[in-house]
Amino acid sequence: LFLKYHNFKLKIAWRTNNYMERLYFKSYFNNITNLLDKKTEFSSYYLLNDAKLILTIHSTLGWEAYSLGKKVIFTNFTKSDQYYTPINKSCYMEFVSYKIFKKKILSLINETDFSFKRRTYKSRIWFMKTSKISKELTHNLIRNYISNLINK
């Protein structure tokens, strides 16, 4: 109902083209979503690039999008600490009421990109540095750190 009422489109990026996964989402969301086939290795990146808001449980794609300044809500409806995300409260959601769910989504969608990026800057660089935020890419930092450990 939330999606229909606000005329939002939902697009789902998944890891595989698994038939059972597709049936699950189709039965849950019916005709209010686009189930996109994973055509290439980078299909998900094209999808997130166009997204106004990303909802994720704990995917690395979500972290990458967040680090690049995309509006992301990390969710944890599992009751497991494994998926807890120590992040800005506006970008994190556990078991919440519909009213809070709606408020968080609408608040982030209505916030300007500039304001969001400025407000989440410290959090984003703490989790993942990218060329848009710092001078050195995360994978280079990791590679250099491991090389230094090995060469000691």
Side-chain angles (χ1 to χ4, degrees):
L1 289 174
F2 177 81
L3 296 171
K4 280 186 178 181
Y5 180 80
H6 293 282
N7 198 28
F8 291 149
K9 302 266 190 258
L10 177 67
K11 295 181 181 179
I12 298 174
W14 44 40
R15 294 180 196 184
T16 68
N17 282 327
N18 182 290
Y19 179 72
M20 294 306 291
E21 186 178 26
R22 186 180 202 80
L23 281 180
Y24 168 79
F25 284 111
K26 194 70 171 165
S27 71
Y28 194 79
F29 293 108
N30 204 4
N31 293 323
I32 57 174
T33 185
N34 290 336
L35 300 174
L36 303 171
D37 291 327
K38 185 173 178 148
K39 294 179 181 171
T40 71
E41 191 175 341
F42 299 104
S43 298
S44 300
Y45 290 95
Y46 292 115
L47 183 63
L48 78 83
N49 189 52
D50 294 336
K52 291 184 172 98
L53 178 68
I54 298 159
L55 289 155
T56 183
I57 293 174
H58 199 68
S59 78
T60 53
L61 187 63
W63 288 110
E64 292 173 53
Y66 182 70
S67 72
L68 293 170
K70 297 297 286 185
K71 297 173 186 175
V72 178
I73 294 180
F74 296 89
T75 61
N76 180 11
F77 302 122
T78 66
K79 295 185 180 179
S80 169
D81 290 339
Q82 177 182 357
Y83 298 107
Y84 170 71
T85 304
I87 201 163
N88 186 297
K89 287 183 180 182
S90 70
C91 298
Y92 183 74
M93 200 181 324
E94 287 186 320
F95 290 95
V96 296
S97 67
Y98 175 76
K99 185 177 179 180
I100 293 172
F101 173 82
K102 177 180 162 182
K103 182 179 178 183
K104 281 188 183 244
I105 288 179
L106 293 177
S107 173
L108 282 175
I109 286 177
N110 292 324
E111 183 176 13
T112 66
D113 289 340
F114 178 79
S115 171
F116 177 80
K117 287 176 182 177
R118 193 178 74 213
R119 184 174 58 77
T120 59
Y121 175 77
K122 287 183 182 177
S123 172
R124 291 185 296 111
I125 64 168
W126 190 86
F127 281 105
M128 186 180 294
K129 293 182 179 189
T130 65
S131 59
K132 289 190 176 223
I133 298 171
S134 76
K135 301 216 184 302
E136 194 165 6
L137 295 171
T138 302
H139 69 276
N140 287 333
L141 291 170
I142 294 168
R143 180 185 295 127
N144 292 339
Y145 179 77
I146 292 171
S147 291
N148 287 338
L149 288 175
I150 292 170
N151 295 324
K152 280 187 175 182

